[in-house]
């Protein structure tokens, strides 16, 4: 499972290390160099790649990027849940945890995380059915030592018995976090229907499954599992750094050639499924979240090896289409569904996978589920008869090729993880391009999958809280009932009440990738102020070769700050707009663009991607800015809104705690019950009137980033102005008010949860509203969070999600702790937090100047690191734009303050926050059902906020 810890959220790599200069390589030369056996990469990718196989048969991809400030590595092992012993289910995941608990040369379990934290690193790992993957990222000069520590996991882990109990608790805490997640419950139920097939195992593990049993000792089984499956010839390694390939190869051989090759066959599942056990079944599933879903779940044989001809992608492209005449479009128009999507995971169960059609239903659709199934099944028959056509192949191929041609960099941490994962399933030369490579139209491959999409391989899921049930899941919270689908019902699918047709050709695929003339600009500039609209322009400085851009059109309004009904109506407006424009958004997505409307102090219309057809997309998007609001559609939107709020209560408690934290200090928020009550009082006429009022009275602003020039922006302003009322008033720009902390003021949220665990956010606010304090907090965060993780999680096993955080509260800086725990009450956990604050002060006293400088330089490298893609480049600029910081220098100011920091500064910062009784403080205490009889914690001078709106009306603001 994915670990939730990331060592050091902001403190990253030291700026040193140098790489050999390399000559420029043209796109044409790079394509010519893509010979068999080399890695096929995008023409937009200037990095150098090499594949090799070490003498121990460990396959490696090397990626040399002289521009990167951080190095990364990932090693995957071809083993997972499918190989768990039945007596110790969760073993592969449990072993993943244990590998972090010390090796022969680095026996201290805290040393790996400590080293990562001190050197700007991040570490993670995950386990799934057929893979376990470990990865890290580190500052460049620490790469050699990091590889030494990391590779020892796979050469000489200690696997000490004394950590058996501790890591059992860690795994159990992770299971406790996920046991109420509907995805895991449904995935477990789907696999449990497979009988003796190896996929029918408990993925995560807990105290029950991971325990000593008759003829099965947990520690002995763990060692045996490692010895049996952790072999070099089943491992894949990816390395990324600023070093030349030759030096990287030396590092790979130095650190990983010593991993033992046990010459084992890569674990594979060959067990046959008996379709009689699960085919032609209907599953009535009662979820924890309030959802109304219909799922057609076909089981297919694993065809991952056909990635080059993509039969699954071809089929799901047609099934999920929202073009006119498709099931998605028709059923939406009838008010029966709010979304339909199709996806395939050919290796979901090892040697079998699934192809699923997921449908979100309206109340009307709930009453017409059989008719909806018939419509989809009839459309599937149409695809089988007429849909295997090379014109769709050409469309998909063009879409994928365009994306790959201009493929952007991502962060190194995720990139190496993805490469090591891909190498387990595709040849190394296709590890980068496998998702985009569509070699040829293969009708036979498509038809082989289509032939499997039949009632005998189908499970129909009815998912809602209204379902009848007769059974309960074990290990997960969920109820269900399984029934047969009769032959009469299957026969009825031959008659659909809704006529459908195959999709038309996409109209928005880009045809022109011309680039605007590069313009050197220090910051975004206000280039047009006309027709009541202000427009800023910033051509990309780092990626001027990308024919992409992002438009943000902001209709700013104070209405939501002034009236709860307005806040609700903005949410309903964006819901109905996005639903009505989903056909356009889907077509745009295929063409490499995106379209969405969000509500935040008004409306934000965002359009991004290739710029060629953006004008056409924008015109269509603006034409539908006021969706058609019928009584039925409005009622459905309210239903989705209310259920969405209710479902927030099912999120991880620590996530809920941070949502409550943010909602407390930022004005314009309301209690959930108030929002629901307001929504239920509104009418369609209210929303229709509201939309006209907002369009007639707002402040319009535009931010254009990327492949645009001033003429483009002028045209854009004219287009937007033409779509708005000719007579409209401009109002002052509005931002959400933010709480002004006062010395000694303690504000608190105390709430009961509908899920089991306790969650706490305990944040102290530094009294000085300056960037200097934010710099101090961000520098200290890495060291502080790592100590909290090591002590409260690793040593004391109090939680799975725990750490420290430095947060901006407008001009002020908050610093504190968070946790989600299944083992302590709110009061007990708060007491432990208070003790840890004192405990950490003693640890901080031991930090010397050398260690401090490491932390400081790591943070500076992170802050100064050049952006890897367009999104990273624009993120700090758009943030300043929203806040009207038109100097666009917030990031540089932070860098300047970090450069001035001393060790005494961060010690003083800690004393003035977590050790001071005079600071302002925010306390969020969420009490899970497992501790409902225990009290909340009482903090000296606390004000418990029960009515957010009332508090925000009275609070002093910055």
């Amino acid at each position: 499972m994915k670990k939730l810890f990331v060592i050091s959220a902001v403190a990253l790599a030291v700026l040193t290390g140098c790489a050999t200069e390399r000559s420029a390589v043209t796109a044409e030369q790079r394509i010519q160099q893509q010979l068999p056996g080399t890695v096929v990469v995008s023409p937009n990718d200037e990095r150098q790649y090499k594949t090799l196989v070490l003498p121990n048969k460990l396959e490696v991809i090397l990626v040399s990027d002289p521009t990167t400030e951080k190095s990364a590595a990932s090693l995957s092992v071809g083993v997972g849940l499918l190989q768990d012993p039945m007596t110790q289910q969760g073993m592969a995941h449990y072993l993943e945890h244990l590998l972090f608990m010390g090796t022969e040369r680095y026996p201290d379990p805290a040393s790996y995380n400590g080293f990562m934290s001190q050197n700007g690193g991040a570490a993670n790992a995950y386990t799934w059915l057929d893979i376990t993957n470990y990865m890290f990222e580190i500052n460049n000069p620490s790469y050699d030592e990091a590889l030494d520590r990391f590779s020892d996991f796979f050469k000489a882990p200690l696997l000490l018995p004394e950590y058996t109990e501790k890591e059992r608790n860690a795994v159990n805490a992770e299971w406790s976090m996920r046991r109420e997640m509907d995805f895991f419950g449904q995935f477990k139920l789907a696999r449990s229907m497979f009988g003796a097939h190896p996929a029918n195992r408990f993925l995560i593990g807990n105290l029950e499954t991971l325990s000593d049993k008759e003829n099965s000792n947990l520690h002995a089984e763990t060692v045996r599992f490692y010895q049996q499956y952790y072999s070099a010839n089943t491992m894949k390694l990816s390395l990324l750094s600023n070093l030349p390939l030759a030096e990287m190869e030396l590092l790979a051989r130095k650190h990983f050639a010593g991993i033992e090759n046990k010459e084992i066959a890569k674990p594979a599942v060959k067990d046959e499924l008996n379709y009689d056990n699960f085919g032609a079944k209907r599953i009535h599933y009662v979820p924890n979240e309030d959802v109304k879903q219909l799922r057609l779940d076909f089981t297919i044989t694993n065809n991952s090896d056909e990635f080059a001809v993509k039969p699954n992608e071809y089929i799901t492209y047609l099934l999920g289409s929202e073009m006119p005449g498709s099931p998605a479009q028709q059923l939406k128009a009838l008010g029966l569904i709010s979304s339909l999507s199709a996806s395939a995971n050919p290796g979901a169960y090892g040697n079998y996978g699934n192809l699923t059609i997921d449908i979100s239903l309206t109340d009307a659709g709930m009453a017409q589920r059989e008719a909806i199934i018939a419509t989809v099944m009839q459309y599937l028959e149409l695809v089988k008869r007429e849909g295997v056509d090379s014109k769709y192949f050409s469309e998909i191929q063009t879409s994928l090729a365009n994306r790959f041609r201009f493929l952007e960099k991502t962060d190194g941490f995720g990139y190496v993880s993805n490469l090591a994962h891909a190498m387990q399933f595709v040849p190394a030369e296709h590890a980068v391009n496998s998702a985009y490579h569509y070699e040829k139209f293969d009708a036979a491959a498509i038809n082989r999958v289509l032939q499997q999409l039949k009632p005998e391989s189908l499970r129909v899921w009815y998912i809602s809280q209204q379902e009848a049930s007769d059974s309960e899941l074990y290990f997960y919270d969920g109820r269900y009932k399984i029934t047969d689908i009769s032959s009469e019902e299957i026969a009825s699918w031959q008659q659909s009440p809704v006529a459908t047709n195959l999709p038309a050709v996409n109209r928005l695929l880009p045809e022109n990738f011309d680039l605007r003339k590069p313009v050197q600009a220090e910051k975004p500039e206000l280039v047009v102020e006309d027709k009541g609209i202000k427009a800023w322009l910033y051509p990309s400085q780092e990626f001027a070769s990308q024919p992409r851009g992002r438009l943000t059109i902001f209709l700013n309004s104070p209405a939501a700050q002034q009236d709860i009904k307005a806040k609700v109506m903005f949410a309903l407006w964006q819901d109905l707009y996005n639903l009505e424009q989903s056909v356009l958004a889907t077509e745009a997505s295929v063409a490499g663009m995106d379209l969405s409307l969000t509500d935040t102090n008004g409306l934000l219309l965002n359009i991004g991607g290739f710029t060629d057809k953006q004008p056409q997309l924008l015109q269509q998007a603006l034409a539908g800015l006021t969706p058609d609001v019928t009584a039925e559609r409005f009622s459905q939107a309210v239903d989705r809104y209310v259920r969405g709020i209710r479902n927030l209560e099912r999120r991880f408690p620590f996530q809920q705690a941070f949502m409550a934290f943010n909602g407390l200090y930022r004005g314009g928020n309301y209690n959930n019950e108030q929002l629901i009550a307001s929504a239920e009082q509104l009418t369609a006429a209210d929303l229709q009137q509201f939309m006209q009022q907002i369009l007639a009275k707002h402040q319009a602003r535009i931010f254009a980033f990327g492949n645009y020039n001033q003429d483009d922006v002028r045209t854009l302003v004219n287009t937007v102005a033409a779509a708005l009322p000719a007579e409209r008033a401009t109002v002052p720009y509005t931002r959400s008010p933010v709480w002004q902390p006062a010395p000694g003021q303690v504000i608190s949220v105390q709430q009961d949860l509908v899920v089991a665990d306790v969650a706490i956010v305990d944040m102290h606010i530094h009294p000085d509203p300056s960037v200097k304090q934010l710099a101090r907090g961000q520098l200290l965060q890495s060291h502080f969070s790592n100590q909290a993780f090591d002590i409260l999680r690793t040593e004391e096993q109090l939680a799975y999600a725990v750490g420290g955080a430095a947060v901006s509260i407008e001009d002020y800086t908050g610093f504190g702790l968070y946790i989600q725990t299944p083992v302590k009450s709110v009061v007990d956990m708060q007491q432990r937090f208070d003790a840890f604050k004192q405990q950490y002060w003693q640890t901080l006293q031991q930090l010397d100047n050398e260690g401090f400088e490491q932390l400081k330089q790591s943070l500076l490298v992170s802050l100064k690191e050049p952006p890897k893609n367009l999104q990273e480049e624009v993120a700090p600029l758009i943030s300043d734009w929203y806040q009207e910081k038109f100097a666009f220098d917030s990031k540089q100011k932070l860098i300047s303050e970090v450069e001035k920091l001393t060790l005494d500064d961060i010690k003083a910062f800690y004393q003035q926050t977590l050790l001071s009784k005079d600071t302002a403080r925010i306390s969020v205490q969420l009490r899970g059902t497992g501790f409902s009889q225990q009290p909340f914690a009482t903090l000296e001078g606390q004000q418990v906020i029960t009515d957010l709106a009332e508090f925000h009306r009275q609070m002093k603001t910055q």
Side-chain angles (χ1 to χ4, degrees), residues 460-480:
V460 174
W461 295 71
Y462 284 180
I463 305 170
S464 76
Q465 294 187 339
Q466 290 73 49
E467 301 305 311
S469 63
D470 58 13
S471 303
E472 291 192 11
L473 289 172
Y474 197 63
F475 294 140
Y476 294 101
D477 293 347
R479 305 190 308 278
Y480 65 95

Side-chain angles (χ1 to χ4, degrees), residues 83 91 120 190 394 398 400 471 496 498 526 565 696 796 826 863 908:
Q83 285 72 46
M91 171 62 72
S394 297
T398 299
L400 294 176
S471 303
S496 169
V498 180
L526 178 63
K565 290 183 179 179
E796 299 181 14
V826 174
L863 293 172

Side-chain angles (χ1 to χ4, degrees), residues 44 71 115-116 182 232 285 307 404 542 596 598 603 609 645 672 739 823 830 834 867 915 935:
N44 195 51
S71 299
F115 176 80
M116 290 290 167
D182 292 320
Y285 190 89
F307 71 92
F404 190 64
E542 301 288 341
S596 66
T598 57
L603 293 174
I645 290 177
N672 288 344
W739 170 63
V823 297
Q830 184 62 57
D834 293 339
L915 297 185

Side-chain angles (χ1 to χ4, degrees), residues 127 491 603 707 748 784 827:
T127 303
L603 293 174
N707 188 37
S748 177
F784 178 70
V827 170

Side-chain angles (χ1 to χ4, degrees), residues 509-647:
L509 285 169
E511 301 171 79
N512 187 325
F513 296 107
D514 287 351
L515 298 169
R516 300 298 185 241
K517 183 180 178 180
V519 176
Q520 294 299 310
E522 292 185 2
K523 61 175 183 163
E525 297 290 348
L526 178 63
V527 295
V528 178
E529 190 169 1
D530 187 28
K531 301 180 180 179
I533 299 172
K534 296 179 179 180
W536 282 256
L537 170 66
Y538 190 67
S540 174
Q541 303 300 291
E542 301 288 341
F543 307 102
S545 62
Q546 285 275 345
R548 288 188 172 104
R550 175 153 294 278
L551 301 175
T552 300
I553 299 167
F554 193 4
L555 304 185
N556 178 263
S557 166
Q561 300 292 334
Q562 302 166 350
D563 181 15
I564 187 172
K565 290 183 179 179
K567 185 176 182 69
V568 174
M569 284 192 285
F570 273 125
L572 298 176
W573 188 348
Q574 66 91 18
D575 173 85
L576 285 166
Y577 176 88
N578 288 324
L579 181 65
E580 193 169 280
Q581 297 301 321
S582 62
V583 174
L584 180 62
T586 301
E587 187 175 5
S589 176
V590 172
M593 295 183 287
D594 59 82
L595 164 68
S596 66
L597 186 74
T598 57
D599 63 301
T600 172
N601 288 324
L603 293 174
L604 282 170
L605 180 65
N606 286 294
I607 289 178
F610 294 123
T611 51
D612 178 36
K613 298 289 182 69
Q614 278 191 16
Q616 295 94 311
L617 176 60
L618 177 62
Q619 284 191 333
Q620 294 180 66
L622 290 171
L625 195 53
T626 53
D628 183 19
V629 185
T630 65
E632 182 183 23
R633 290 181 179 180
F634 181 81
S635 175
Q636 292 170 357
V638 170
D639 176 63
R640 288 189 294 271
Y641 179 76
V642 171
R643 287 189 288 117
I645 290 177
R646 294 291 187 210
N647 290 337

Side-chain angles (χ1 to χ4, degrees), residues 914-950:
L914 268 65
L915 297 185
S916 173
K917 294 183 179 180
D918 298 325
T919 59
R921 190 170 170 186
I922 298 178
S923 169
V924 177
Q925 305 172 24
L926 304 186
R927 184 170 61 183
T929 56
F931 302 88
S932 58
Q933 303 305 309
Q934 303 295 317
F936 289 105
T938 301
L939 307 180
E940 184 177 349
Q942 75 180 8
Q943 176 189 3
V944 179
I945 308 301
T946 56
D947 187 326
L948 274 179
E950 181 62 26

Side-chain angles (χ1 to χ4, degrees), residues 224 290 297 439 590 657 807 826 862 902:
R224 186 180 303 116
D290 188 0
D297 179 8
E439 186 176 285
V590 172
V807 298
V826 174
S862 174
T902 67

